[in-house]
Amino acid sequence: MKTFNEYQEFAVSTAIYPESLKVIYPTIGLAGECGEVSEKVKKSIRDHNGLFKPKEIAMELGDVLWYVANIANDLGLTLEDIAFLNETKLIERIQNTIAKIVVRLIRTFFK
């Protein structure tokens, strides 16, 4: 595996759920796996003085990625599409934040 899309192809090839439950089934699974990531973090705090076990958390994050890959596929999207869209959204958010800061500075210094 070299790219997100190659991983997605693999993940989709291992998916077993009814066609009628596309999007729904993996979305429910995603919610459960997010809970498992949270549980690993919580137990690190409770049982290990906040020392995380990266490999255990990574295993759960891998399950999250599997569900995201399948949801994306069910919606006709690739993981690379999603990464690009998210990158664009984050850049716009940063640009908007910078613009707001500039406006505040101008209002402050040029009253």
Side-chain angles (χ1 to χ4, degrees):
M1 181 201 62
K2 296 181 182 182
T3 68
F4 275 133
N5 287 350
E6 289 172 343
Y7 171 78
Q8 185 175 15
E9 288 175 17
F10 170 74
V12 168
S13 76
T14 66
I16 302 172
Y17 52 88
E19 182 81 15
S20 62
L21 294 177
K22 277 187 161 188
V23 179
I24 298 165
Y25 182 90
T27 299
I28 294 167
L30 175 62
E33 291 301 334
C34 288
E36 290 192 32
V37 171
S38 298
E39 281 294 310
K40 294 289 183 189
V41 170
K42 179 195 80 175
K43 288 178 181 178
S44 294
I45 294 166
R46 184 189 68 198
D47 301 336
H48 305 289
N49 296 318
L51 298 175
F52 299 113
K53 295 185 176 183
K55 186 171 181 178
E56 286 184 14
I57 296 171
M59 296 297 287
E60 299 305 334
L61 288 171
D63 292 339
V64 166
L65 183 59
W66 185 93
Y67 281 107
V68 169
N70 279 283
I71 294 167
N73 182 73
D74 290 351
L75 294 171
L77 300 167
T78 67
L79 289 177
E80 288 180 11
D81 292 336
I82 292 169
F84 176 79
L85 290 168
N86 186 254
E87 180 181 47
T88 301
K89 178 181 83 172
L90 293 173
I91 289 168
E92 289 173 359
R93 185 179 296 158
I94 291 166
Q95 290 171 337
N96 289 337
T97 299
I98 292 169
K100 288 176 185 176
I101 291 168
V102 169
V103 168
R104 285 185 195 141
L105 289 172
I106 290 170
R107 286 181 180 159
T108 300
F109 291 108
F110 296 103
K111 283 185 174 181

mmCIF file of all heavy atoms in Angstrom, residues 36-42 44 51-64:
data_model
loop_
_atom_site.group_PDB
_atom_site.id
_atom_site.type_symbol
_atom_site.label_atom_id
_atom_site.label_comp_id
_atom_site.label_asym_id
_atom_site.label_seq_id
_atom_site.Cartn_x
_atom_site.Cartn_y
_atom_site.Cartn_z
ATOM 1 N N GLU A 36 -14.126 3.418 20.830
ATOM 2 C CA GLU A 36 -13.010 2.585 21.281
ATOM 3 C C GLU A 36 -11.717 3.394 21.380
ATOM 4 O O GLU A 36 -10.922 3.180 22.298
ATOM 5 C CB GLU A 36 -12.851 1.379 20.356
ATOM 6 C CG GLU A 36 -14.006 0.396 20.532
ATOM 7 C CD GLU A 36 -13.761 -0.937 19.850
ATOM 8 O OE1 GLU A 36 -12.597 -1.363 19.761
ATOM 9 O OE2 GLU A 36 -14.753 -1.545 19.414
ATOM 10 N N VAL A 37 -11.497 4.333 20.456
ATOM 11 C CA VAL A 37 -10.330 5.216 20.560
ATOM 12 C C VAL A 37 -10.425 6.017 21.858
ATOM 13 O O VAL A 37 -9.454 6.110 22.619
ATOM 14 C CB VAL A 37 -10.227 6.167 19.345
ATOM 15 C CG1 VAL A 37 -9.139 7.223 19.567
ATOM 16 C CG2 VAL A 37 -9.969 5.384 18.066
ATOM 17 N N SER A 38 -11.606 6.561 22.120
ATOM 18 C CA SER A 38 -11.817 7.336 23.351
ATOM 19 C C SER A 38 -11.559 6.492 24.591
ATOM 20 O O SER A 38 -10.968 6.963 25.571
ATOM 21 C CB SER A 38 -13.238 7.895 23.395
ATOM 22 O OG SER A 38 -13.447 8.772 22.325
ATOM 23 N N GLU A 39 -12.006 5.252 24.560
ATOM 24 C CA GLU A 39 -11.798 4.342 25.700
ATOM 25 C C GLU A 39 -10.310 4.101 25.946
ATOM 26 O O GLU A 39 -9.866 4.063 27.092
ATOM 27 C CB GLU A 39 -12.503 3.007 25.460
ATOM 28 C CG GLU A 39 -13.985 3.042 25.723
ATOM 29 C CD GLU A 39 -14.311 3.272 27.192
ATOM 30 O OE1 GLU A 39 -13.764 2.562 28.067
ATOM 31 O OE2 GLU A 39 -15.117 4.175 27.466
ATOM 32 N N LYS A 40 -9.536 3.919 24.889
ATOM 33 C CA LYS A 40 -8.087 3.699 25.046
ATOM 34 C C LYS A 40 -7.443 4.916 25.692
ATOM 35 O O LYS A 40 -6.589 4.788 26.565
ATOM 36 C CB LYS A 40 -7.426 3.408 23.692
ATOM 37 C CG LYS A 40 -7.848 2.113 23.055
ATOM 38 C CD LYS A 40 -7.296 0.919 23.796
ATOM 39 C CE LYS A 40 -7.690 -0.361 23.072
ATOM 40 N NZ LYS A 40 -7.387 -1.559 23.807
ATOM 41 N N VAL A 41 -7.850 6.090 25.264
ATOM 42 C CA VAL A 41 -7.297 7.315 25.840
ATOM 43 C C VAL A 41 -7.722 7.439 27.299
ATOM 44 O O VAL A 41 -6.902 7.723 28.185
ATOM 45 C CB VAL A 41 -7.725 8.552 25.018
ATOM 46 C CG1 VAL A 41 -7.358 9.844 25.736
ATOM 47 C CG2 VAL A 41 -7.104 8.500 23.623
ATOM 48 N N LYS A 42 -9.002 7.190 27.570
ATOM 49 C CA LYS A 42 -9.505 7.279 28.944
ATOM 50 C C LYS A 42 -8.761 6.306 29.863
ATOM 51 O O LYS A 42 -8.328 6.673 30.964
ATOM 52 C CB LYS A 42 -10.998 6.971 28.986
ATOM 53 C CG LYS A 42 -11.596 7.026 30.398
ATOM 54 C CD LYS A 42 -12.953 6.383 30.462
ATOM 55 C CE LYS A 42 -12.767 4.879 30.539
ATOM 56 N NZ LYS A 42 -13.980 4.108 30.713
ATOM 57 N N SER A 44 -5.836 5.093 29.456
ATOM 58 C CA SER A 44 -4.453 5.543 29.633
ATOM 59 C C SER A 44 -4.369 6.531 30.785
ATOM 60 O O SER A 44 -3.436 6.490 31.583
ATOM 61 C CB SER A 44 -3.936 6.209 28.348
ATOM 62 O OG SER A 44 -3.836 5.276 27.306
ATOM 63 N N LEU A 51 -0.081 7.975 30.483
ATOM 64 C CA LEU A 51 0.888 7.491 29.500
ATOM 65 C C LEU A 51 0.145 6.676 28.450
ATOM 66 O O LEU A 51 -0.416 5.626 28.754
ATOM 67 C CB LEU A 51 1.969 6.641 30.178
ATOM 68 C CG LEU A 51 2.828 7.381 31.213
ATOM 69 C CD1 LEU A 51 3.774 6.409 31.908
ATOM 70 C CD2 LEU A 51 3.613 8.502 30.541
ATOM 71 N N PHE A 52 0.145 7.182 27.245
ATOM 72 C CA PHE A 52 -0.586 6.537 26.171
ATOM 73 C C PHE A 52 0.182 5.342 25.629
ATOM 74 O O PHE A 52 1.404 5.309 25.657
ATOM 75 C CB PHE A 52 -0.853 7.533 25.035
ATOM 76 C CG PHE A 52 -1.685 8.703 25.474
ATOM 77 C CD1 PHE A 52 -1.144 9.970 25.513
ATOM 78 C CD2 PHE A 52 -3.005 8.530 25.844
ATOM 79 C CE1 PHE A 52 -1.905 11.055 25.913
ATOM 80 C CE2 PHE A 52 -3.788 9.602 26.246
ATOM 81 C CZ PHE A 52 -3.226 10.859 26.279
ATOM 82 N N LYS A 53 -0.567 4.397 25.128
ATOM 83 C CA LYS A 53 0.014 3.250 24.442
ATOM 84 C C LYS A 53 -0.266 3.459 22.953
ATOM 85 O O LYS A 53 -1.331 3.066 22.450
ATOM 86 C CB LYS A 53 -0.601 1.950 24.951
ATOM 87 C CG LYS A 53 -0.266 1.687 26.414
ATOM 88 C CD LYS A 53 -0.781 0.340 26.859
ATOM 89 C CE LYS A 53 -0.330 0.075 28.289
ATOM 90 N NZ LYS A 53 -0.740 -1.249 28.731
ATOM 91 N N PRO A 54 0.680 4.120 22.263
ATOM 92 C CA PRO A 54 0.434 4.500 20.871
ATOM 93 C C PRO A 54 0.015 3.341 19.966
ATOM 94 O O PRO A 54 -0.858 3.524 19.110
ATOM 95 C CB PRO A 54 1.767 5.100 20.420
ATOM 96 C CG PRO A 54 2.390 5.604 21.689
ATOM 97 C CD PRO A 54 1.981 4.611 22.732
ATOM 98 N N LYS A 55 0.606 2.164 20.137
ATOM 99 C CA LYS A 55 0.255 1.056 19.247
ATOM 100 C C LYS A 55 -1.200 0.639 19.446
ATOM 101 O O LYS A 55 -1.907 0.368 18.470
ATOM 102 C CB LYS A 55 1.176 -0.137 19.456
ATOM 103 C CG LYS A 55 0.923 -1.233 18.445
ATOM 104 C CD LYS A 55 1.947 -2.327 18.494
ATOM 105 C CE LYS A 55 1.624 -3.362 17.424
ATOM 106 N NZ LYS A 55 2.581 -4.434 17.372
ATOM 107 N N GLU A 56 -1.667 0.597 20.700
ATOM 108 C CA GLU A 56 -3.067 0.227 20.957
ATOM 109 C C GLU A 56 -4.022 1.250 20.349
ATOM 110 O O GLU A 56 -5.030 0.889 19.743
ATOM 111 C CB GLU A 56 -3.324 0.110 22.461
ATOM 112 C CG GLU A 56 -2.723 -1.126 23.089
ATOM 113 C CD GLU A 56 -3.074 -1.264 24.562
ATOM 114 O OE1 GLU A 56 -3.989 -0.557 25.047
ATOM 115 O OE2 GLU A 56 -2.416 -2.081 25.225
ATOM 116 N N ILE A 57 -3.698 2.520 20.509
ATOM 117 C CA ILE A 57 -4.550 3.568 19.940
ATOM 118 C C ILE A 57 -4.482 3.521 18.413
ATOM 119 O O ILE A 57 -5.500 3.662 17.737
ATOM 120 C CB ILE A 57 -4.155 4.954 20.494
ATOM 121 C CG1 ILE A 57 -4.421 4.995 22.011
ATOM 122 C CG2 ILE A 57 -4.927 6.069 19.788
ATOM 123 C CD1 ILE A 57 -3.876 6.210 22.719
ATOM 124 N N ALA A 58 -3.299 3.267 17.874
ATOM 125 C CA ALA A 58 -3.149 3.176 16.419
ATOM 126 C C ALA A 58 -3.997 2.047 15.841
ATOM 127 O O ALA A 58 -4.562 2.191 14.749
ATOM 128 C CB ALA A 58 -1.675 2.973 16.045
ATOM 129 N N MET A 59 -4.097 0.941 16.556
ATOM 130 C CA MET A 59 -4.921 -0.169 16.073
ATOM 131 C C MET A 59 -6.380 0.263 15.955
ATOM 132 O O MET A 59 -7.061 -0.074 14.980
ATOM 133 C CB MET A 59 -4.796 -1.381 17.002
ATOM 134 C CG MET A 59 -3.390 -1.966 17.054
ATOM 135 S SD MET A 59 -2.829 -2.616 15.482
ATOM 136 C CE MET A 59 -3.804 -4.079 15.378
ATOM 137 N N GLU A 60 -6.862 1.013 16.925
ATOM 138 C CA GLU A 60 -8.242 1.501 16.872
ATOM 139 C C GLU A 60 -8.397 2.558 15.781
ATOM 140 O O GLU A 60 -9.412 2.593 15.073
ATOM 141 C CB GLU A 60 -8.677 2.054 18.230
ATOM 142 C CG GLU A 60 -8.644 1.047 19.369
ATOM 143 C CD GLU A 60 -9.453 -0.214 19.114
ATOM 144 O OE1 GLU A 60 -10.430 -0.182 18.333
ATOM 145 O OE2 GLU A 60 -9.102 -1.253 19.705
ATOM 146 N N LEU A 61 -7.393 3.420 15.624
ATOM 147 C CA LEU A 61 -7.449 4.423 14.558
ATOM 148 C C LEU A 61 -7.458 3.752 13.189
ATOM 149 O O LEU A 61 -8.088 4.252 12.252
ATOM 150 C CB LEU A 61 -6.271 5.389 14.666
ATOM 151 C CG LEU A 61 -6.341 6.365 15.836
ATOM 152 C CD1 LEU A 61 -5.014 7.124 15.961
ATOM 153 C CD2 LEU A 61 -7.507 7.320 15.695
ATOM 154 N N GLY A 62 -6.790 2.624 13.080
ATOM 155 C CA GLY A 62 -6.837 1.862 11.830
ATOM 156 C C GLY A 62 -8.251 1.400 11.522
ATOM 157 O O GLY A 62 -8.692 1.432 10.365
ATOM 158 N N ASP A 63 -8.977 0.979 12.559
ATOM 159 C CA ASP A 63 -10.371 0.581 12.362
ATOM 160 C C ASP A 63 -11.221 1.788 11.942
ATOM 161 O O ASP A 63 -12.099 1.673 11.085
ATOM 162 C CB ASP A 63 -10.936 -0.049 13.634
ATOM 163 C CG ASP A 63 -10.283 -1.393 13.951
ATOM 164 O OD1 ASP A 63 -9.708 -2.018 13.040
ATOM 165 O OD2 ASP A 63 -10.365 -1.810 15.130
ATOM 166 N N VAL A 64 -10.938 2.947 12.539
ATOM 167 C CA VAL A 64 -11.632 4.182 12.142
ATOM 168 C C VAL A 64 -11.379 4.452 10.660
ATOM 169 O O VAL A 64 -12.308 4.745 9.898
ATOM 170 C CB VAL A 64 -11.166 5.374 13.008
ATOM 171 C CG1 VAL A 64 -11.608 6.704 12.414
ATOM 172 C CG2 VAL A 64 -11.669 5.226 14.448
#
